[in-house]
Amino acid sequence: MDNKVNKQPKYIFVTGGVVSSLGKGIISSSLANLLIARGFRVTIQKFDPYINIDPGTLNPYEHGECYVTVDGHEADLDLGHYERFTNIRTTRANNVTTGRIYQSVIDKERRGDYLGKTVQIVPHITDEIKRNVKQLGNTCEFDFIITEIGGVVGDIESLPFLEAVRQLRWELGRDSLVVHLTYVPFIAAAKELKTKPTQHSVKKLQELGIQPDILVLRTEHEITPDARRKIALFCNVAPDAVVQSIDLPSIYEVPVKMHEQHLDDIVLRLTGCDTSGEPHMAPWMNFLDKMHHADKPVTIGLVGKYVELQDAYKSIDEALFQAATYAGRRLDLRLIHSEKLTDSNAEEMLREMDGVIIAPGFGHRGIEGKFAALRWCREHDIPTFGICLGMQCMVIEFARNVLGLSEANSTEMNPPTPHKVIDLMEEQKSISNMGGTMRLGAYDCRLRPGSKAAEAYGRELVSERHRHRFEFNDDYRTSFEEAGMQCVGENPDTHLVEVVEIPCKRWFVGTQYHPEYSSTVLSPNPLFISFVDAAIKFRDEKIKNINP
Ligand code: GLN
C-alpha cells in the first residue's frame, strides 16, 4: 500500500465526553483492528490524566486490573484491550500518565535544561505531552497512531492533554483527526433519546479549540436518523461521521458494527488515505462465528478476593472467553469469593465447576480460602489452574497437606514461617520503593518435555509476563518432586521455578507468570486452551457418568 513506510504517520485522537466508562478503549481498539485488517501498521497509546507514575501502585478498587507489557511496564487495563483486538504488543511508550510527564519536566528543570526560564504548564508540560504523543510515530514503524485521552472533557486534569491535542491538530492538519465519544441517554418516561449532553460536551471541546471530526455515540437504543442529523448539525460534524455504538452482547462485535457504519472509511477519507478495498476480516469473523454458535457451556470457577469488581481479573476473563469460544463452548464463569471459602464448604461452592482458576493477588486476605479450594480440587482431581499467587498457593497447600509441613507459607503472608516454601527473591530484599520494583515483564521459561505445559504450548521455550516479588524456594524442590508436584518450567538463566504441575492429575498446573496477558482473540494463549479443553473433557465425563 503506497501510504506506508517513511511517510508522515496519521494521528487519531480519541476523547470522551459526558461520562466516563463509555469504552474509549474499545472504540480505539476496534478502529485499530479495522485499519490493521486493511493492511496498515497501527499502534494505540493511552494518556492517563492522573498523577501516579503508573497504575502499578493502585489497588483494583481504584483502577481494575493492572496490565503488564512485555517490557515490564505496569499499565492501564485498556492496553490489554489494545493487544487483544490488534494482536500487537504494547510497551511502556503506549501508556503515559500526568505523573510521568511532570516527573520528566521536573527532572529536566533540575538538570538546568530550561536555561533559567520559568517552567509552566504551557508550553513546558504541553510540549512534553506532545513529545510523548509523537514518540511512537517517530519510529517510522506505524502508519496510524491512535491516542486515547483518559478522563472526560471538562475534567481539570485533562486540560493540558487537550491543549496538546489542539496544538497537534493545528500543526498536523490533515494528518490528524479527533474522534469524540459521548453518551446519548434514553429517558424512559419520555421514551426519548437526548442529544443535549452530546451537544454540551462538543461545545466544551470547541471552547478548548478542538473541533471533533467524528462523533461516536454510546447508546442503549438505536439512534434515530433524526437525532443523528440534529447532532451533526449542532456539532459541525458531517452526518456520515456521526456513528452509533450501541450496547452489544460482546465487545468483540464492535469492530464489525463500526465497519458497517464505515468508521474506517471515514477515517481514511479524512486523513487523505486510500479508501479502496475492504478490510480482511475473515479470522476475526471466524472467531465471532464460533462465539455465536457456542451453545453448550463450560463452567469455570475463578477463586479470588475481588469478585465484586468486574475489571479486577479482566485479562483472565478474556483469555478464558477466547479459549472457550475456540473450543465451541459458552463460558459460564462463576466468581467465587476466596474469603467465603473454607474446608467445610469447599465442596458445596465448587462441585458444579468443570475447572477452577486460583487468581493472582497480593496480601493475605482470602488466602486460606484459596488453600481450601486447592485442597478440594486436588483431592477431587478437578482441572485446576493457579496463576502467580494462585501458583504460590498451590505450592503452599501441597506443602501443608502432602509434605506434612503444616506451617508452610509464603513469607509475604507470614514472614517468620518455619517453612518458607515461597520466599522473597534475594534482589527484592533491599527494595523499599513499591512502584515498578517487582519482577516485571516477559522472561523466558524452559518447559520439561512431556509436561502438560510443554504439550499445551507445543514447544519447550516460551516467554511470558511476570508481576511478583516472591518465588518458589528452591531448597524444597526435591521434596516436592519426590512427592509428586513437579517443577516443569524454569527460567533458563536464573533457574527460578516458573511452572509446577501434578502430572498424575487431569490438569493441575500453576504458573508463576501471567499467561493471560499474552492471550489475544487471534492468538489465544495455549495454556488457557489446554486448561479449558481439560475442563470440557471433565464436564463431558461427568455427564456421561450421570447418563451412561
Ligand atoms: N503476591 C505475590 C508476589 O508478589 C503474587 C503476585 C501476583 O499474583 N501477581 O509474589
Side-chain angles (χ1 to χ4, degrees):
M1 225 167 277
D2 68 341
N3 37 14
K4 280 195 202 164
V5 190
N6 291 335
K7 290 234 176 125
Q8 161 71 34
K10 313 286 182 188
Y11 287 87
I12 301 173
F13 300 99
V14 180
T15 57
V18 184
V19 286
S20 58
S21 304
L22 289 178
K24 287 195 293 284
I26 303 294
I27 294 297
S28 304
S29 302
S30 299
L31 178 57
N33 174 296
L34 293 172
L35 294 172
I36 289 168
R38 283 175 175 269
F40 292 98
R41 302 163 310 161
V42 186
T43 189
I44 322 178
Q45 55 189 5
K46 174 141 195 212
F47 282 68
D48 274 312
Y50 50 73
I51 295 174
N52 305 61
I53 296 292
D54 60 47
T57 51
L58 293 174
N59 78 37
Y61 288 102
E62 292 285 317
H63 213 259
E65 164 189 279
C66 177
Y67 188 73
V68 179
T69 59
V70 275
D71 63 340
H73 178 62
E74 295 176 282
D76 184 83
L77 60 77
D78 270 329
L79 270 76
H81 290 309
Y82 303 166
E83 292 204 10
R84 288 187 284 272
F85 275 70
T86 64
N87 217 18
I88 292 173
R89 298 288 169 245
T90 54
T91 64
R92 177 177 303 273
N94 293 75
N95 191 196
V96 178
T97 66
T98 294
R100 281 253 299 278
I101 300 285
Y102 271 80
Q103 190 176 48
S104 155
V105 168
I106 290 167
D107 285 349
K108 285 181 188 166
E109 186 273 335
R110 291 289 82 183
R111 278 203 309 263
D113 291 5
Y114 296 115
L115 306 173
K117 288 261 182 223
T118 306
V119 180
Q120 296 178 297
I121 292 185
V122 183
H124 302 101
I125 295 293
T126 46
D127 280 352
E128 185 63 21
I129 295 173
K130 283 160 67 180
R131 194 181 67 75
N132 276 273
V133 167
K134 286 180 157 176
Q135 212 172 15
L136 287 168
N138 293 341
T139 63
C140 296
E141 284 172 28
F142 303 104
D143 305 308
F144 283 92
I145 319 288
I146 300 177
T147 305
E148 180 189 341
I149 308 290
V152 176
V153 172
D155 290 349
I156 292 174
E157 282 89 347
S158 311
L159 282 174
F161 291 99
L162 294 171
E163 169 57 15
V165 170
R166 185 196 66 76
Q167 294 182 16
L168 284 165
R169 270 296 275 129
W170 178 244
E171 288 165 22
L172 294 163
R174 250 191 127 187
D175 290 325
S176 66
L177 59 81
V178 173
V179 178
H180 188 55
L181 186 65
T182 74
Y183 180 53
V184 179
F186 180 78
I187 307 296
K191 293 199 179 56
E192 242 184 284
L193 282 163
K194 290 295 182 189
T195 65
K196 197 70 89 191
T198 295
Q199 295 179 43
H200 281 304
S201 136
V202 171
K203 286 249 150 53
K204 196 94 213 151
L205 209 50
Q206 289 167 339
E207 276 168 26
L208 300 172
I210 299 173
Q211 169 60 48
D213 302 278
I214 297 173
L215 292 177
V216 178
L217 312 175
R218 284 287 289 118
T219 174
E220 282 130 38
H221 296 263
E222 286 285 333
I223 305 273
T224 59
D226 224 28
R228 205 181 283 235
R229 262 196 305 275
K230 191 163 152 190
I231 289 174
L233 182 65
F234 285 119
C235 298
N236 296 348
V237 174
D240 70 343
V242 180
V243 168
Q244 77 168 12
S245 170
I246 198 160
D247 283 1
L248 293 167
S250 162
I251 52 172
Y252 298 124
E253 304 204 43
V254 178
V256 180
K257 292 288 163 204
M258 290 300 119
H259 178 58
E260 280 170 13
Q261 298 174 83
H262 310 291
L263 179 66
D264 43 337
D265 291 293
I266 301 164
V267 165
L268 294 178
R269 191 184 75 213
L270 292 175
T271 51
C273 296
D274 180 11
T275 55
S276 61
E278 278 291 308
H280 172 66
M281 295 182 72
W284 194 267
M285 296 312 273
N286 168 49
F287 175 79
L288 291 188
D289 188 55
K290 288 209 153 63
M291 183 177 91
H292 293 142
H293 291 97
D295 299 325
K296 277 209 247 165
V298 56
T299 303
I300 305 291
L302 174 59
V303 177
K305 64 179 169 181
Y306 294 119
V307 294
E308 71 285 34
L309 297 179
Q310 72 164 8
D311 284 341
Y313 304 113
K314 192 76 197 156
S315 294
I316 294 180
D317 299 354
E318 297 302 325
L320 280 172
F321 180 77
Q322 292 153 4
T325 303
Y326 280 112
R329 296 287 174 128
R330 177 174 60 76
L331 176 66
D332 170 20
L333 182 63
R334 311 271 181 93
L335 301 173
I336 299 164
H337 206 311
S338 52
E339 282 182 291
K340 300 204 173 125
L341 254 162
T342 60
D343 279 325
S344 48
N345 69 13
E347 167 155 29
E348 186 196 330
M349 289 180 80
L350 298 171
R351 75 174 154 232
E352 286 176 26
M353 307 305 143
D354 306 321
V356 171
I357 293 210
I358 310 295
F362 294 83
H364 68 271
R365 187 161 70 83
I367 198 92
E368 294 297 326
K370 288 185 173 173
F371 299 144
L374 280 163
R375 178 175 200 161
W376 193 83
C377 289
R378 183 177 52 75
E379 290 178 352
H380 294 82
D381 200 2
I382 313 292
T384 306
F385 192 177
I387 299 179
C388 206
L389 179 63
M391 170 270 198
Q392 297 176 354
C393 289
M394 268 181 171
V395 167
I396 298 166
E397 189 280 326
F398 193 86
R400 288 184 182 181
N401 300 319
V402 179
L403 302 183
L405 309 172
S406 61
E407 288 180 69
N409 215 329
S410 160
T411 46
E412 179 182 10
M413 313 306 158
N414 180 23
T417 176
H419 298 292
K420 308 173 189 322
V421 289
I422 303 291
D423 198 6
L424 202 57
M425 287 180 275
E426 209 41 55
E427 58 271 32
Q428 287 283 339
K429 289 187 177 157
S430 56
I431 291 174
S432 55
N433 262 5
M434 291 303 272
T437 54
M438 280 186 261
R439 183 179 180 212
L440 287 165
Y443 286 88
D444 282 348
C445 167
R446 187 168 295 287
L447 298 167
R448 188 182 294 174
S451 62
K452 292 221 172 44
E455 274 168 20
Y457 284 101
R459 55 182 200 277
E460 280 149 36
L461 190 65
V462 299
S463 170
E464 297 278 10
R465 299 174 219 185
H466 292 246
R467 183 176 186 246
H468 58 106
R469 286 181 211 284
F470 295 81
E471 295 284 350
F472 181 92
N473 181 348
D474 215 44
D475 296 348
Y476 289 89
R477 193 191 288 226
T478 316
S479 320
F480 274 83
E481 297 224 324
E482 281 170 6
M485 181 175 270
Q486 304 296 318
C487 302
V488 299
E490 65 170 40
N491 181 286
D493 307 316
T494 57
H495 303 290
L496 288 170
V497 172
E498 310 282 34
V499 186
V500 296
E501 65 182 55
I502 304 182
C504 66
K505 299 288 175 195
R506 285 191 170 88
W507 206 98
F508 201 89
V509 179
T511 59
Q512 185 58 79
Y513 54 74
H514 290 260
E516 69 275 20
Y517 292 142
S518 65
S519 196
T520 71
V521 168
L522 296 185
S523 181
N525 184 280
L527 268 187
F528 277 87
I529 300 259
S530 168
F531 165 66
V532 168
D533 281 349
I536 292 170
K537 238 200 233 142
F538 179 49
R539 181 184 184 93
D540 292 347
E541 262 172 53
K542 287 189 289 185
I543 294 173
K544 217 158 127 203
N545 288 343
I546 301 168
N547 322 302

